[in-house]
Amino acid sequence: MAGTAPRHTDGEGVDGGVGLTALLVAAARAIETHRHDSLAQDAYAEHFVRAAPACAQWPVRLQQVPDGDDNPLWGRFTRYFGLRTRVLDDFLLRSVRNGTRQVVLLGAGLDTRAFRLDWPSDCVVFEIDRAAVLAFKHRVLTDLSASPRAKRVPVPVDLRADWVTALTTAGFDPAAPSVWLAEGLLFYLPSPAETYLVDTVDRLTTEGSAFAFEAKLEKDLLEYRDSAIYTATREQIGIDLLHLFDKGPRPDSAGHLAARGWSTAVHTPFDYTHRHGRGPLPEPNDALEGNRWIFAHKPRP
Ligand SMILES: C[S@@+](CC[C@H](N)C(=O)[O-])C[C@H]1O[C@@H](n2cnc3c(N)ncnc32)[C@H](O)[C@@H]1O
């Protein structure tokens, strides 16, 4: 496991800047997969971590972490990602059970849901991320001879640019119901890009569609800069999350959708810790305190 951290600079690939956060979530999923009380299983996750030189020293099992669950990064933070994965797996599967056949993963990173969830055979999963991240993902999954369990359509595009043309050109049908996910994404985008994204999801969705996303409520992101999670992530693996997050004021995307007629449910991660009987609990100076998971549905008439 890494002791002192290299500093990573902003880059377009998976091995630097915001791309590296996709590997962090993959490492968390690897650790979660091998917990005796695992909340989500992702057999591919550890292969991404092992394929990227930037994280060769990262653990993929909790047993490789000397202080185990007491480690704020590899213990509590990875459990957070494990819980988030499970909750959003359940959300997507509920939507397809209700008849939706188009799934759009915004900022998909190394999400392997297309490969590991039990989709109806006529389901299409669109994965939007930057080209270099999707190229790395493709290489690792091809080396593993992994087969998707639905039709999988990578859409390499930057969400700060015109991604709608890329998505519709890739086959997305705005006239059919869809379910959308922005997991660990919005706080990396400038506020206008987030507002554009939410407006666009509204514009491209029929009644009966659904959208889950993660937001941070705090007005001042630096409020928790000394929290154990941010400090451990910076010191142990050189990822300064606060440096990567957009610093501008965040839009009220849940309120925005509600004003457009969507029904919205806003939950803390801790709600699900209680529901599942495991996961992170609140603590003082907690960087997770302002995190919210929002589940929005566009009602049918
Ligand atoms: C923390 S990772 C989360 C990945 C994935 N949703 C998951 O939970 O495993 C954030 C992802 O957002 C992507 N991302 C950030 N800014 C982006 C942008 N402007 N356009 C496209 N993707 C972006 C990154 O490349 C990265 O894969």
Side-chain angles (χ1 to χ4, degrees):
M1 194 187 85
T4 48
R7 272 203 55 84
H8 298 290
T9 51
D10 285 1
E12 289 305 306
V14 78
D15 52 356
V18 73
L20 201 56
T21 63
L23 282 163
L24 170 59
V25 184
R29 292 196 181 115
I31 288 174
E32 184 66 34
T33 298
H34 297 287
R35 283 179 179 272
H36 69 90
D37 60 350
S38 165
L39 283 155
Q41 295 281 316
D42 183 349
Y44 305 101
E46 66 185 86
H47 296 278
F48 295 122
V49 181
R50 288 295 163 252
C55 42
Q57 304 302 316
W58 295 8
V60 289
R61 305 271 195 286
L62 199 59
Q63 294 76 0
Q64 296 162 341
V65 183
D67 48 348
D69 262 325
D70 290 336
N71 187 295
L73 167 59
W74 300 120
R76 185 167 186 262
F77 206 14
T78 64
R79 192 96 240 223
Y80 172 78
F81 291 125
L83 178 67
R84 188 178 80 180
T85 302
R86 167 62 180 277
V87 170
L88 296 174
D89 282 359
D90 291 348
F91 167 78
L92 293 173
L93 289 174
R94 259 196 317 274
S95 289
V96 298
R97 255 180 248 125
N98 290 337
T100 299
R101 290 294 180 266
Q102 298 187 103
V103 180
V104 185
L105 306 175
L106 297 158
L110 305 175
D111 176 327
T112 60
R113 289 189 171 94
F115 296 82
R116 61 182 184 78
L117 296 186
D118 195 12
W119 302 107
S121 56
D122 54 346
C123 211
V124 188
V125 179
F126 297 92
E127 297 185 358
I128 299 184
D129 210 299
R130 292 163 317 135
V133 173
L134 291 177
F136 169 80
K137 182 175 188 174
H138 177 76
R139 179 166 66 77
V140 174
L141 291 169
T142 303
D143 285 352
L144 293 170
S145 306
S147 321
R149 301 172 77 171
K151 183 174 176 204
R152 171 178 175 252
V153 183
V155 186
V157 66
D158 194 306
L159 287 162
R160 293 166 295 189
D162 169 26
W163 53 269
V164 175
T165 307
L167 181 61
T168 48
T169 305
F172 177 80
D173 177 6
S178 48
V179 57
W180 299 65
L181 183 61
E183 180 182 24
L185 169 72
L186 296 183
F187 22 83
Y188 297 103
L189 297 181
S191 172
E194 175 172 337
T195 302
Y196 173 75
L197 183 148
V198 169
D199 281 345
T200 306
V201 172
D202 181 42
R203 186 159 57 82
L204 295 184
T205 42
T206 59
E207 283 133 0
S209 295
F211 179 23
F213 58 97
E214 184 177 36
K216 275 185 162 294
L217 288 190
E218 51 262 33
K219 298 240 172 331
D220 177 11
L221 277 177
L222 296 178
E223 198 181 329
Y224 296 108
R225 68 180 167 277
D226 298 327
S227 68
I229 279 181
Y230 289 155
T231 305
T233 306
R234 198 171 54 241
E235 292 181 351
Q236 293 183 49
I237 56 172
I239 302 180
D240 185 347
L241 288 169
L242 288 170
H243 172 72
L244 296 172
F245 293 160
D246 185 82
K247 303 294 182 300
R250 303 316 304 171
D252 173 12
S253 292
H256 196 62
L257 283 172
R260 287 169 172 249
W262 291 63
S263 70
T264 56
V266 180
H267 288 277
T268 71
F270 310 122
D271 294 341
Y272 290 93
T273 297
H274 293 302
R275 195 171 294 182
H276 286 284
R278 52 213 192 275
L281 290 166
E283 63 176 40
N285 189 21
D286 190 355
L288 300 179
E289 189 176 356
N291 285 32
R292 293 290 181 277
W293 296 340
I294 294 105
F295 303 90
H297 291 88
K298 199 174 205 173
R300 296 178 203 274

